[in-house]
Amino acid sequence: GPKYKFDKFDKLILKELDINARSSLSDLAKKVKLSRDAIRNRIKKMIDSKVISSFKPVLQPPALGFPIVNYVLISIYNPSIENETEFIRFLKNNKHVTYIASLIGKWDFIIDVMAENQGQFEKILKEIRQKFPNLIKDYEVSGVLQEYKYEEIGKLIYE
């Protein structure tokens, strides 16, 4: 769709929601210096324009019992549309695969796999590889030791 046109108030609202998406309309109104109705209308407009798709908690995998977080880069053979669609569907339906993106370059996909332990991760990866032996050409695993920054996309607009 068309690029959303942000004004200074939209940017302030995004900044405050980025800090705490659970802020009340009253709190936002005080900080942004607009009425609650104006705040509500602006948030609705950003939702309707797909600037904001949802309000979600930021979860910490280790605290949830998933201390193993690995990015897996995958290269595939030249697939048919049906094979690639089946591959993506399979990954989307695996609750341990929390991120999937197609790439340009040496690797065709990157997935994020979260597991309770290394054995569970190996089982998940083996299941993916065994399900698509004629599709997966190569893969590389990179384990996450520490996350230092997580989805601060809003700063692209309000800073």
Side-chain angles (χ1 to χ4, degrees), residues 16 20 22-32 36:
E16 291 303 321
N20 182 5
R22 295 179 57 178
S23 295
S24 68
L25 291 175
S26 297
D27 288 341
L28 290 170
K30 290 174 192 169
K31 292 177 180 174
V32 177
R36 288 185 312 170

Side-chain angles (χ1 to χ4, degrees), residues 66-99:
F66 298 93
I68 304 300
V69 180
N70 290 317
Y71 288 103
V72 182
L73 295 156
I74 300 171
S75 176
I76 60 176
Y77 293 107
N78 196 11
S80 66
I81 292 171
E82 294 82 19
N83 287 345
E84 189 169 355
T85 301
E86 180 186 355
F87 179 64
I88 293 167
R89 187 177 317 119
F90 180 80
L91 294 173
K92 284 172 128 179
N93 288 327
N94 187 319
K95 72 177 185 177
H96 293 278
V97 176
T98 60
Y99 177 78

